Amino acid sequence: MLEGLAAGDKVTGLKQTRRAIEAGMVRCVYLACDADPRLTEPVRQLCAQRGVAVEEGCTLAQLGRAAGIAVGTAAVALLAK
C-alpha cells in the first residue's frame, strides 16, 4: 500500500496536501488513521469534491517513515505526473 510513497513525487502534511489538491496536482492522498479527525476530515471532503482517491489504514508514524521523513505525518499526497 505504501510502496509508491518512497519513489514517487509527493508532498507531506495537511497544509501542503490541501494546497496540492486545490491546485489539481494530486493523484492519491494517504491519511493516517490515528490522526485527529477534526484535522483530516476537511482534506477527506476536499478529495471527495475533486475526485481524488483516499487511502487510509496507516498510522502517523508509518506514513512518515514511508514518506522518508523523520516524524509522523497525518497526510501524504502523491503528485500526478
Side-chain angles (χ1 to χ4, degrees):
M1 177 172 156
L2 298 174
E3 297 80 25
L5 287 180
D9 291 333
K10 62 193 161 292
V11 294
T12 60
L14 290 167
K15 281 185 184 179
Q16 297 236 18
T17 296
R18 188 172 52 244
R19 287 181 190 145
I21 295 166
E22 289 170 348
M25 302 168 42
V26 176
R27 179 176 47 164
C28 179
V29 171
Y30 293 85
L31 294 175
C33 62
D34 58 345
D36 187 343
R38 291 177 295 172
L39 300 175
T40 57
E41 190 58 33
V43 173
R44 184 179 291 108
Q45 290 176 0
L46 185 58
C47 287
Q49 292 171 357
R50 301 290 175 108
V52 174
V54 176
E55 297 285 338
E56 297 182 82
C58 300
T59 65
L60 291 159
Q62 289 171 328
L63 270 182
R65 276 193 305 272
I69 59 175
V71 295
T73 185
V76 178
L78 278 180
L79 301 178
K81 296 189 182 207

